[in-house]
Amino acid sequence: MDLETGFYHNHVKKESWRTVLTLAYQSLGVVYGDLSTSPLYVYKNTFEEDIKHSETNEEIYGVLSFVFWTLTLVPLLKYVFIVLRADDNGEGGTFALYSLLCRHARVNSLPNCQLADEELIEYKKDSIGVEPKSNFGSSLKSTLEKHRVLQRFLLVLALIGTCMVIGDGILTPAISVFSAVSGLELSMEKEHHKYVEVPVACVILIGLFALQHYGTHRVGFLFAPVVLTWLLCISAIGLYNIIHWNPHVYQALSPYYMYKFLRKTQRGGWMSLGGILLCITGSEAMFADLGHFSQLSIKIAFTSLVYPSLILAYMGQAAYLSRHHIIESDYQIGFYVSVPESLRWPVLVIAILAAVVGSQAIITGTFSIIKQCSALGCFPRVKIVHTSSKIHGQIYIPEINWLLMILCLAVTVGFRDTRRMGNASGLAVITVMLVTTCLMSLVIVLCWQKNVFLAIAFVFFFGTIEALYFSASLIKFLEGAWVPIALAFIFLIVMCVWHYGTLKKYEFDVQNKVSINWLLSLGPSLGIVRVRGIGLIHTELVSGIPAIFSHFVTNLPAFHQVLVFLCIKSVPVPHVRPEERFLIGHIGPREYRLYRCIVRYGYRDVHKDDMEFEKDLVCSIAEFIRSGSVTPASVVSEDLMKDDDKMTVVGTCSSHMEGIQMSEDDTDNREEAGPSELKEIRSPPINKPRKRVRFIVPESPKIDSGVREELQELMEAREAGIAYILGHSYVRAKQGSSLIKKLVINLGYEFLRRNSRPPTHALSVPHASTLEVGMIYHV
């Protein structure tokens, strides 16, 4: 028995390592495409105009030393060994850090949060809710929770990082593809290549963005082999150049050469750091794409292949340049000049393919972070298409895709050289890293509960390095660095306006909600005609009766026999488990047939289509009704709710297989209860053919007649059909509001609302079953 157990354990261990290695291989094409193509343009941008390559080789050795230590300290030390550990239940990126902070300190910007959300399993992981051990941590947490200004600053900081990621999604494809295509310069005459370079780059970029709607999974099997081939290619060429031209180039890895470089070049050397910075473009993808892989797989891929290949590539270029001080071609210093002439065309093809793969990764990452922002109420609603039913996180956003393409082509045609593109891309990259460093320092204190001096050391060490590069990039504001600042400013304005308008609209809903006492005073019949069917009233409120309901009743004194106040909301966790999806409760006495249902999604969850969602919703309400006659599995107590309702946590159909199930068919055949001791509650027979609904409930424990009657009525209502009652709002600033508020609400927010997608739940609702209730919101 022990032998069998040991064999089984070893088999599982081998399987797990096989999985890790497979993920490490796949991560090459998704995570490291951008980082691996940086040797195409680092030296070219560094030596463009700030410094010159002299016969003493002090410049090229100094640049190599800077590149080596930058790659070692930032991607390897900071990201691989520290930042990757700050995952949010397996998810990474700027918003993952912000989400972690929101759960450890109540600084969340979502308006309809409940204390009940803190009972989610994903929310409570990693000792969330435990007070920080240090006095400084406790005081920092209380300070953040007390001051709204600090909470808004934290949100704006996260949004700035997000905006720079979007800017990087525009700039990285431009510089990667243009740098790869620039190899044509060495194979064509100068008069010809300048007319070929830009058109070829634009055609490749158009093709890249045009193929996005197919999804990365369609061509994903090509990504990893392309990047693997590219890494092996540049490392082999680098090794050849080291052995053939200068075997002693390894001496330049000493930090002493950085000192010699800055001492000789002074201000020019400091300004050239903006070019050296490009060697770490794409490092943020290691953290941002963590949700698709695992920490161990990303670490293995970087330390065993990506890092040594890049070091060999940069050393090889430096070895070649150290023996070639006068280059006859106008191309001067660059990647392709160090490639043996017989290999230039094959390397050019591989480089273009690698640039396309790297661009694909950053575009997909841009889609993902915009989806997260939209889920957390910080970006206008956009159409999100899931391109793969099997691979989580592969999405396509048409509006953003074409906007990125237009801006990317504008950058390519407008700049026409890698120098200004590099200045722009470098500033975007280093800003994201600075934001990550700032948020990580808070995570160290509040989430990891480490000593404050460790957080200060982290900020001081990495912040100093990144601030040095940031200053070198910012000084080139007029030479291209203005582009990411302008783009980030525009996107930040859009996000802040949308978030502000959303908050004000929710505050109006809260202030104008109808009290439950008003509803109960109408009596059991509610003084209104009840028609057959289920009415779903969509609302953002998690408590109380929305104003649209009273507005609806005033104009049309009739509603459905079963009424559900439905709130679909996001919570600051990446995923909500199916067994915790619904919070359901009665509004008023049971005989009123009024329910409140709160559907909770994480910011990375996939929203179901309307038919599957309807089935889950009705089945979960039925399970809630049945659980009222037995001991509930999970009840959120009244002291956790700001409403007077007691809410019960109910999962989807798949999460309570032993509970109530719903069956729909088009036949009129009655099935007898079988040996499984299940009993069917059927709807009464009807004359005209329609879909028959059946609830199948366990025989034990017994359910009382009141519960059976309530289930019967729910079945009849479901069979009669579901009507969707949606609020159609017009938001206006109150009279007497400031001019800025009127501009933001009346022009900015209203323009974004009219030109954005409707809420997710309204996208696939049948028009024949929809009733819109118009209201004017004076906020």
Side-chain angles (χ1 to χ4, degrees):
M1 192 68 181
D2 292 336
L3 291 175
E4 290 177 359
T5 306
F7 173 79
Y8 177 75
H9 177 74
N10 291 333
H11 180 69
V12 171
K13 188 173 181 180
K14 289 180 181 178
E15 284 290 329
S16 63
W17 272 107
R18 186 180 302 132
T19 303
V20 168
L21 294 177
T22 302
L23 288 173
Y25 170 73
Q26 292 173 345
S27 70
L28 292 176
V30 177
V31 178
Y32 297 109
D34 186 14
L35 185 62
S36 64
T37 54
S38 56
L40 287 169
Y41 43 79
V42 169
Y43 283 141
K44 182 175 176 63
N45 278 62
T46 303
F47 287 94
E48 191 72 34
E49 59 179 26
D50 298 315
I51 55 175
K52 301 297 179 183
H53 178 40
S54 65
E55 294 186 4
T56 61
N57 285 328
E58 287 185 350
E59 293 84 359
I60 190 65
Y61 284 175
V63 170
L64 175 60
S65 184
F66 264 105
V67 168
F68 171 76
W69 286 106
T70 304
L71 277 171
T72 302
L73 294 177
V74 178
L76 184 62
L77 181 59
K78 177 186 172 182
Y79 280 94
V80 169
F81 290 107
I82 301 176
V83 176
L84 282 180
R85 295 178 55 224
D87 64 302
D88 181 14
N89 295 318
E91 299 292 338
T94 305
F95 256 90
L97 294 177
Y98 179 70
S99 177
L100 272 179
L101 293 172
C102 286
R103 300 209 303 278
H104 283 83
R106 291 190 176 95
V107 295
N108 188 14
S109 61
L110 290 173
N112 53 2
C113 285
Q114 302 167 273
L115 291 175
D117 297 336
E118 298 180 13
E119 297 299 312
L120 291 169
I121 294 176
E122 300 292 335
Y123 205 110
K124 297 169 70 174
K125 278 186 177 179
D126 303 324
S127 302
I128 290 176
V130 178
E131 287 295 322
K133 298 177 182 178
S134 64
N135 293 330
F136 180 84
S138 299
S139 61
L140 177 62
K141 178 181 176 182
S142 61
T143 303
L144 285 173
E145 292 177 346
K146 287 178 183 177
H147 296 86
R148 293 283 297 172
V149 175
L150 294 178
Q151 296 174 20
R152 289 169 182 167
F153 174 77
L154 198 62
L155 174 63
V156 170
L157 187 66
L159 291 181
I160 289 174
T162 301
C163 292
M164 284 298 180
V165 170
I166 298 173
D168 198 23
I170 296 167
L171 296 165
T172 294
I175 188 173
S176 297
V177 173
F178 194 87
S179 299
V181 173
S182 66
L184 293 171
E185 293 183 88
L186 296 179
S187 304
M188 302 176 66
E189 296 180 4
K190 183 179 178 180
E191 292 76 15
H192 295 158
H193 80 76
K194 64 181 181 180
Y195 297 109
V196 174
E197 208 170 42
V198 174
V200 170
C202 289
V203 168
I204 293 174
L205 287 171
I206 292 173
L208 172 65
F209 284 99
L211 292 174
Q212 290 300 311
H213 70 281
Y214 289 110
T216 55
H217 69 288
R218 299 290 176 87
V219 289
F221 67 96
L222 290 175
F223 283 12
V226 166
V227 176
L228 178 61
T229 304
W230 169 250
L231 288 171
L232 294 176
C233 176
I234 61 175
S235 57
I237 293 172
L239 192 61
Y240 166 79
N241 285 330
I242 293 170
I243 296 172
H244 188 264
W245 296 111
N246 188 358
H248 300 288
V249 73
Y250 68 89
Q251 297 174 353
L253 302 183
S254 169
Y256 174 68
Y257 283 90
M258 291 192 290
Y259 166 74
K260 291 181 65 177
F261 170 78
L262 292 177
R263 185 181 65 180
K264 179 179 180 180
T265 57
Q266 298 181 357
R267 186 175 186 274
W270 168 63
M271 294 181 66
S272 70
L273 293 179
I276 297 173
L277 162 67
L278 297 176
C279 71
I280 53 176
T281 56
S283 300
E284 188 73 19
M286 285 194 287
F287 185 45
D289 292 328
L290 183 60
H292 303 291
F293 304 98
S294 63
Q295 289 186 30
L296 187 58
S297 62
I298 289 178
K299 290 177 180 179
I300 289 175
F302 183 78
T303 54
S304 64
L305 181 61
V306 179
Y307 178 75
S309 297
L310 290 175
I311 297 300
L312 284 175
Y314 287 116
M315 288 178 65
Q317 288 187 57
Y320 178 87
L321 294 172
S322 67
R323 294 292 184 265
H324 296 80
H325 304 100
I326 300 176
I327 300 175
E328 298 178 358
S329 170
D330 290 332
Y331 187 78
Q332 296 180 348
I333 292 177
F335 170 75
Y336 288 103
V337 75
S338 64
V339 177
E341 191 171 351
S342 59
L343 297 177
R344 280 178 185 166
W345 278 106
V347 171
L348 174 66
V349 173
I350 298 172
I352 291 175
L353 291 175
V356 169
V357 170
S359 303
Q360 171 68 54
I362 192 66
I363 293 169
T364 304
T366 305
F367 291 159
S368 297
I369 201 164
I370 286 177
K371 179 181 181 292
Q372 293 178 26
C373 290
S374 181
L376 296 177
C378 295
F379 198 87
R381 291 180 292 264
V382 290
K383 181 180 180 180
I384 297 175
V385 180
H386 293 270
T387 57
S388 174
S389 59
K390 297 179 180 179
I391 304 175
H392 165 72
Q394 292 192 359
I395 60 174
Y396 167 67
I397 305 177
E399 300 97 323
I400 301 300
N401 182 65
W402 302 123
L403 179 62
L404 291 180
M405 186 189 77
I406 292 171
L407 293 174
C408 189
L409 292 175
V411 168
T412 305
V413 175
F415 284 163
R416 294 172 175 263
D417 66 81
T418 56
R419 179 176 62 86
R420 287 182 290 179
M421 291 183 193
N423 295 337
S425 180
L427 184 62
V429 167
I430 200 64
T431 305
V432 176
M433 292 183 175
L434 274 171
V435 170
T436 300
T437 299
C438 295
L439 294 178
M440 268 300 302
S441 63
L442 295 176
V443 169
I444 290 173
V445 176
L446 295 177
C447 305
W448 293 354
Q449 302 179 10
K450 301 296 184 182
N451 194 295
V452 63
F453 294 107
L454 188 63
I456 293 174
F458 179 86
V459 170
F460 180 79
F461 183 74
F462 293 107
T464 302
I465 297 172
E466 290 161 0
L468 180 65
Y469 281 119
F470 180 78
S471 63
S473 298
L474 195 61
I475 200 70
K476 297 185 178 181
F477 180 83
L478 298 177
E479 300 173 34
W482 61 270
V483 171
I485 295 177
L487 290 172
F489 180 76
I490 294 171
F491 281 107
L492 185 62
I493 292 295
V494 169
M495 290 179 177
C496 289
V497 167
W498 182 262
H499 184 65
Y500 178 77
T502 303
L503 282 179
K504 289 299 178 183
K505 183 173 176 291
Y506 184 79
E507 289 174 4
F508 178 88
D509 281 335
V510 172
Q511 294 167 3
N512 292 273
K513 66 182 180 181
V514 180
S515 67
I516 294 180
N517 292 331
W518 168 81
L519 187 65
L520 301 181
S521 66
L522 298 177
S525 67
L526 302 180
I528 292 172
V529 178
R530 305 294 289 268
V531 298
R532 293 193 65 193
I534 298 176
L536 293 183
I537 298 181
H538 287 275
T539 175
E540 300 293 327
L541 294 177
V542 294
S543 63
I545 307 298
I548 63 167
F549 177 70
S550 62
H551 191 62
F552 168 70
V553 170
T554 303
N555 291 274
L556 184 65
F559 56 81
H560 300 82
Q561 66 188 105
V562 173
L563 205 62
V564 180
F565 292 94
L566 180 65
C567 174
I568 300 176
K569 70 172 190 175
S570 295
V571 290
V573 294
H575 304 284
V576 175
R577 300 190 177 191
E579 58 268 23
E580 300 177 305
R581 178 76 66 206
F582 295 96
L583 266 178
I584 301 178
H586 278 111
I587 297 179
R590 174 170 289 182
E591 59 268 19
Y592 282 26
R593 306 298 189 247
L594 301 180
Y595 306 92
R596 183 184 312 286
C597 181
I598 299 171
V599 189
R600 302 178 291 187
Y601 287 98
Y603 59 79
R604 299 275 298 197
D605 276 331
V606 179
H607 290 223
K608 293 184 177 181
D609 59 57
D610 59 325
M611 295 304 293
E612 192 175 357
F613 176 77
E614 285 178 10
K615 183 177 180 181
D616 272 348
L617 178 64
V618 176
C619 191
S620 297
I621 294 175
E623 176 65 18
F624 162 73
I625 295 170
R626 185 190 73 87
S627 67
S629 62
V630 297
T631 303
S634 177
V635 176
V636 181
S637 59
E638 294 179 6
D639 60 338
L640 285 179
M641 304 297 297
K642 294 181 180 179
D643 194 15
D644 55 6
D645 307 322
K646 180 181 288 187
M647 307 289 287
T648 303
V649 178
V650 182
T652 59
C653 295
S654 59
S655 65
H656 50 77
M657 296 302 294
E658 296 180 357
I660 199 166
Q661 297 292 316
M662 186 175 75
S663 175
E664 297 179 338
D665 57 56
D666 296 314
T667 65
D668 194 32
N669 297 328
R670 294 171 176 257
E671 299 177 14
E672 299 297 332
S676 59
E677 295 188 355
L678 294 179
K679 189 171 181 179
E680 299 178 1
I681 299 179
R682 297 174 178 268
S683 59
I686 49 179
N687 295 326
K688 59 180 180 179
R690 62 171 68 181
K691 184 167 289 188
R692 184 172 298 282
V693 179
R694 297 174 294 160
F695 286 148
I696 305 176
V697 299
E699 183 68 25
S700 297
K702 298 287 186 180
I703 59 177
D704 59 38
S705 58
V707 171
R708 184 175 295 276
E709 182 182 345
E710 193 173 357
L711 287 173
Q712 184 79 30
E713 191 165 353
L714 180 63
M715 264 192 309
E716 294 176 11
R718 174 64 184 94
E719 195 171 73
I722 295 180
Y724 299 82
I725 303 171
L726 309 177
H728 191 75
S729 58
Y730 298 89
V731 183
R732 294 287 183 270
K734 294 178 182 177
Q735 289 186 354
S737 299
S738 64
L739 178 62
I740 295 178
K741 184 175 181 180
K742 288 180 180 178
L743 289 174
V744 170
I745 296 297
N746 296 349
L747 295 180
Y749 179 74
E750 194 58 22
F751 173 80
L752 293 174
R753 188 193 63 80
R754 287 197 308 268
N755 291 278
S756 64
R757 297 276 177 169
T760 307
H761 55 259
L763 287 175
S764 54
V765 172
H767 292 290
S769 304
T770 304
L771 178 64
E772 291 192 357
V773 181
M775 284 194 66
I776 298 178
Y777 287 64
H778 293 284
V779 299

